[in-house]
Amino acid sequence: MSNKTIIVISLLLIAIVIGKWIFDSIDYNETLIFSREKKAIVTKSTDDLFGTEVETTEWVDGFWLGLLPGEDKISSGILFGVVPIASIIAFSSIIIIIINRKRKQSRNKL
């Protein structure tokens, strides 16, 4: 695989991850810094007896991707954030490009 192909693929993967984060932020109704596993849905209603406004909160399970993982502990969930995923993709593509260049240089010497 050529270096240009690796760069294009890695940039596409990073763009897909950032796009997912943007769509998840729109769905969550706020810019997500940390990944979330639940979403609060607040329903406002008026109490018939007293005429006061009552807020009811329901939690919906799901996964919304944030910039950083939503956990502090060491687990597999520490990778579920835009920054860790994009960093892994960028780092691995840089390593692959370096390896390809070294291979080309060693072939040219022979």
Side-chain angles (χ1 to χ4, degrees):
M1 219 189 263
S2 71
N3 290 347
K4 290 180 183 178
T5 308
I6 293 170
I7 291 171
V8 168
I9 289 172
S10 63
L11 288 177
L12 284 174
L13 289 174
I14 291 172
I16 288 169
V17 170
I18 291 173
K20 167 103 171 93
W21 169 65
I22 290 170
F23 286 120
D24 282 354
S25 293
I26 291 170
D27 183 41
Y28 204 83
N29 295 328
E30 68 179 70
T31 302
L32 293 173
I33 302 301
F34 299 103
S35 296
R36 306 283 172 94
E37 295 178 355
K38 292 187 178 188
K39 177 180 178 181
I41 297 177
V42 179
T43 308
K44 294 182 181 181
S45 60
T46 305
D47 187 4
D48 294 333
L49 185 61
F50 298 109
T52 58
E53 190 173 276
V54 178
E55 289 186 358
T56 307
T57 305
E58 291 182 40
W59 290 91
V60 178
D61 290 332
F63 181 75
W64 292 269
L65 187 65
L67 284 177
L68 298 170
E71 323 183 327
D72 305 8
K73 357 174 214 187
I74 297 175
S75 68
S76 61
I78 204 158
L79 297 175
F80 294 118
V82 173
V83 173
I85 293 172
S87 298
I88 289 169
I89 294 169
F91 180 74
S92 60
S93 63
I94 289 170
I95 294 298
I96 291 170
I97 289 169
I98 291 171
I99 290 170
N100 281 339
R101 286 193 180 173
K102 285 188 177 184
R103 282 184 186 168
K104 284 183 182 179
Q105 287 176 356
S106 65
R107 286 182 193 162
N108 290 339
K109 287 182 182 179
L110 296 175

